[in-house]
Amino acid sequence: MSDTTGRSRTHLTRRLIQLYVGLALYGASSALLVRAELGLEPWGVLHQGLTELTGISIGVVSIIVGAIVLLLWIPLRQRPGLGTVSNVFVVGIAMDGTLAVVPAIHGPGAQIPAMALGILLNGVATGLYITARFGPGPRDGLMTGLNRATGRSIRLVRTAIEVAVVATGFLLGGSLGVGTVLYALAIGPLAQFFLRVFAVPEPAGVTAAAAEPSPGQAILPR
């Protein structure tokens, strides 16, 4: 009994570490894309555009947008988890923290590696926090909630959301460029790879009925 309890605690500890390391890395990777100045991920374009409009730091804007998106879960009857709420705050804080210590980058010789590293770390971060299985991020929950509410496919809902987000962010002054395109092409394969790398096995003695959702159930394919 004590062995089972000990394994369960170790299992939970590993999941919590993966969750918060993943969310912190996600914020850091987004900050690297900002410093590279070659284009941001779709929601990053919106965040940067709102930063240009309001003068508020991009990390704080990310937190505000995440909180607003989370409120949209209410009419969609989505239930947030620890990972959902943590996502709202940790990513934005990590983003501003990274921007505070990473100086401006100039010239393609430094910008291109920074962009590549940002995209790679984003894939690592996605694999870490999703396999922790503490609930989807606010934006992913909005996607799945609209999928359920409208009956439209995940692909269509995701595309509609991200086109609207990118267009709005770009009109507000957000950075759209080659980094945006490369991110869109690379993040799916990278996330899929790191989901397998960081998958957390169930502790011995946990039955299939009692097991938590698998990483594949925690987030739908993008």
Side-chain angles (χ1 to χ4, degrees), residues 52-85:
E52 293 292 328
L53 179 67
T54 64
I56 302 173
S57 76
I58 193 168
V60 173
V61 167
S62 173
I63 292 171
I64 294 170
V65 170
I68 292 171
V69 171
L70 193 53
L71 289 176
L72 296 177
W73 282 34
I74 297 172
L76 295 173
R77 301 180 183 232
Q78 294 277 87
R79 290 190 301 174
L82 173 65
T84 310
V85 178

Side-chain angles (χ1 to χ4, degrees), residues 4-21:
T4 302
T5 302
R7 284 194 296 268
S8 296
R9 286 176 179 169
T10 301
H11 180 257
L12 177 61
T13 299
R14 174 179 169 178
R15 289 173 57 214
L16 285 168
I17 290 171
Q18 284 198 196
L19 171 66
Y20 289 107
V21 170

Side-chain angles (χ1 to χ4, degrees), residues 187-212:
I187 192 60
L190 284 172
Q192 193 67 30
F193 174 75
F194 287 111
L195 281 170
R196 291 194 297 268
V197 170
F198 297 118
V200 181
E202 292 296 339
V206 176
T207 64
E212 297 170 64

Side-chain angles (χ1 to χ4, degrees), residues 128-140:
L128 281 168
Y129 88 79
I130 289 175
T131 53
R133 300 194 305 274
F134 282 107
R139 296 154 185 85
D140 289 313

Side-chain angles (χ1 to χ4, degrees), residues 34-110:
V34 171
R35 285 289 186 245
E37 297 184 349
L38 294 174
L40 305 180
E41 74 279 18
W43 285 92
V45 177
L46 176 63
H47 299 156
Q48 190 178 56
L50 289 170
T51 292
E52 293 292 328
L53 179 67
T54 64
I56 302 173
S57 76
I58 193 168
V60 173
V61 167
S62 173
I63 292 171
I64 294 170
V65 170
I68 292 171
V69 171
L70 193 53
L71 289 176
L72 296 177
W73 282 34
I74 297 172
L76 295 173
R77 301 180 183 232
Q78 294 277 87
R79 290 190 301 174
L82 173 65
T84 310
V85 178
S86 298
N87 185 296
V88 172
F89 297 99
V90 176
V91 171
I93 292 169
M95 195 173 183
D96 274 352
T98 303
L99 289 171
V101 298
V102 175
I105 298 172
H106 303 288

